[in-house]
Amino acid sequence: YNLEKLKVLNKNLENLDSDLNITIFQKVSTIDLRFNKLAYIKSSYFNGMKKLIYLYISYNMISYIEKKSFLDIPSLSLID
């Protein structure tokens, strides 16, 4: 997919594995997941997203982020 920006706001997402598989968007530079119900971030959620620059995950219920969740994203410059 050639999508550059992915916005999924206020959709009651709880789990990116079953509710939304974002790893198919390899060329995306911006992901906006604000105002959902995400409780944790797995290290596999953003695998292979080498072009991801901006990640907006505020206004969720995140209580846990797995180690190395953002390690393989060299272009990531903002997490909000």
Side-chain angles (χ1 to χ4, degrees), residues 53-64:
I53 300 170
Y54 307 107
L55 176 61
Y56 298 96
I57 53 175
S58 57
Y59 302 101
N60 279 281
M61 301 179 337
I62 298 171
S63 60
Y64 183 73

Side-chain angles (χ1 to χ4, degrees), residues 6-11 13 20 22 32-36:
L6 175 65
K7 289 186 176 186
V8 184
L9 287 83
N10 203 20
K11 297 294 182 187
L13 291 178
L20 177 68
I22 61 173
D32 192 342
L33 300 170
R34 291 176 293 176
F35 301 101
N36 283 290

Side-chain angles (χ1 to χ4, degrees), residues 39-57:
Y40 58 91
I41 301 293
K42 288 185 178 180
S43 58
S44 62
Y45 282 170
F46 307 104
N47 278 353
M49 295 188 151
K50 304 277 187 210
K51 298 186 181 217
L52 183 62
I53 300 170
Y54 307 107
L55 176 61
Y56 298 96
I57 53 175

Side-chain angles (χ1 to χ4, degrees), residues 1-6 22-30 49 51:
Y1 296 93
N2 287 326
L3 187 68
E4 290 184 20
K5 294 181 182 180
L6 175 65
I22 61 173
T23 58
I24 62 172
F25 304 109
Q26 296 296 311
K27 295 183 179 181
V28 75
S29 63
T30 303
M49 295 188 151
K51 298 186 181 217

